[in-house]
Amino acid sequence: MPLREEFEQQGNWLFRRRSWLPVVVLYPLAGVLMVAYPEATYDHITSPTWGIVCLLVGLLGLAVRALTIGCTPGGTSGRNTDEGQVAETLNETGIYSVVRHPLYLGNFLMWLGLFMILGVWWFVALCTLAYWLYYERIMYAEEEFLRRTYSARYEAWASRTPAFVPRLTGWQPALLEFSWRNVMKREYNGLFAMVVSFVLINAISHLLVDKRFYIDPLWQLVLAVGAVIFLVLRTLKKNTQLLEVPGR
């Protein structure tokens, strides 16, 4: 099989498993690192200042995703599903005017906060490389689909818009108004998963070093706030129409 078709096939395979495959690879690796270097990682994991820095990096990633989702209509590039690629229209405005894959940029920043919390630079570098190799195939598959679907229009957009590192000078306002309801409907799971991951890392570090179950006050507060947000938004989504936005 030619490399072009092989890369696209691999990208589609990885895309369908993107919600769990990185988790089953990176979380055990982080666990091994914490067991191998319990004291070194403990100092960073239990530092409130470092914890806030890492949490802010993760929240920055969530903000990038929110900026993307808040202005994205349904049935467009950027709203792909596990069943396949979706692109009734091509997103070229808003955040898509400065970066072609803003959702994956947001995902990376959310993961980066978790990579950083351990305080081991080579682990951050290794995970960053792994992330790039994984999502490079996914981005390739998506762009091949867009190339076939939109041809010259896609080529023009891709030629002026970076794939992953934003170029802010090309900003064009989004066609749709920003919708907080759309963001809240779609992003509460990702927020809570990130919060729980930070809390688990903190608790495991205490178990390894202090030999007791304990969560630092910072992460107790973050967990409480995250749990309230999760429960409220999940209830609203499941039992009401308050978060529904026509065309989103």
Side-chain angles (χ1 to χ4, degrees), residues 2-234:
L3 280 178
R4 186 167 177 171
E5 286 76 11
E6 184 175 349
F7 284 0
E8 183 177 6
Q9 185 180 75
Q10 291 173 0
N12 286 322
W13 188 90
L14 292 170
F15 176 84
R16 289 190 292 271
R17 293 157 178 82
R18 72 197 186 286
S19 62
W20 59 266
L21 189 55
V23 173
V24 301
V25 173
L26 295 176
Y27 279 29
L29 183 59
V32 169
L33 187 64
M34 292 168 66
V35 171
Y37 304 100
E39 299 289 345
T41 55
Y42 178 88
D43 290 341
H44 287 87
I45 292 170
T46 59
S47 166
T49 302
W50 186 239
I52 291 172
V53 169
C54 296
L55 179 61
L56 289 175
V57 171
L59 291 176
L60 176 61
L62 190 68
V64 172
R65 287 187 56 87
L67 181 60
T68 306
I69 290 166
C71 298
T72 301
T76 67
S77 59
R79 294 296 297 272
N80 299 325
T81 67
D82 290 341
E83 286 71 37
Q85 306 291 346
V86 174
E88 295 173 8
T89 61
L90 179 67
N91 284 323
E92 300 176 82
T93 61
I95 196 168
Y96 284 95
S97 65
V98 297
V99 62
R100 299 203 302 272
H101 298 278
L103 290 176
Y104 298 148
L105 172 60
N107 289 350
F108 170 70
L109 292 171
M110 293 175 72
W111 277 105
L112 181 61
L114 292 170
F115 302 158
M116 290 169 54
I117 194 69
L118 301 182
V120 180
W121 71 267
W122 61 261
F123 179 72
V124 175
L126 176 65
C127 290
T128 298
L129 177 61
Y131 183 94
W132 176 254
L133 292 175
Y134 187 93
Y135 276 93
E136 183 184 42
R137 289 291 191 273
I138 293 176
M139 290 188 288
Y140 183 90
E142 291 183 355
E143 295 207 4
E144 281 298 291
F145 173 79
L146 294 174
R147 189 191 305 273
R148 289 194 298 269
T149 305
Y150 293 101
S151 189
R153 183 181 168 191
Y154 161 79
E155 295 284 355
W157 170 64
S159 67
R160 67 176 183 268
T161 310
F164 197 74
V165 179
R167 186 173 59 199
L168 301 182
T169 55
W171 176 264
Q172 299 178 30
L175 298 178
L176 293 180
E177 285 188 14
F178 183 85
S179 171
W180 274 111
R181 286 189 293 163
N182 197 42
V183 173
M184 291 188 289
K185 181 180 70 174
R186 295 187 59 196
E187 290 302 293
Y188 68 90
N189 279 322
L191 170 62
F192 193 58
M194 182 178 68
V195 166
V196 170
S197 297
F198 276 118
V199 171
L200 285 176
I201 289 172
N202 186 260
I204 291 171
S205 186
H206 279 291
L207 280 174
L208 291 173
V209 176
D210 298 334
K211 310 303 181 186
R212 60 173 179 145
F213 178 79
Y214 181 74
I215 300 172
D216 288 321
L218 167 66
W219 298 114
Q220 292 181 35
L221 176 62
V222 170
L223 179 60
V225 173
V228 170
I229 293 173
F230 174 82
L231 291 173
V232 169
L233 294 182
R234 182 173 179 82

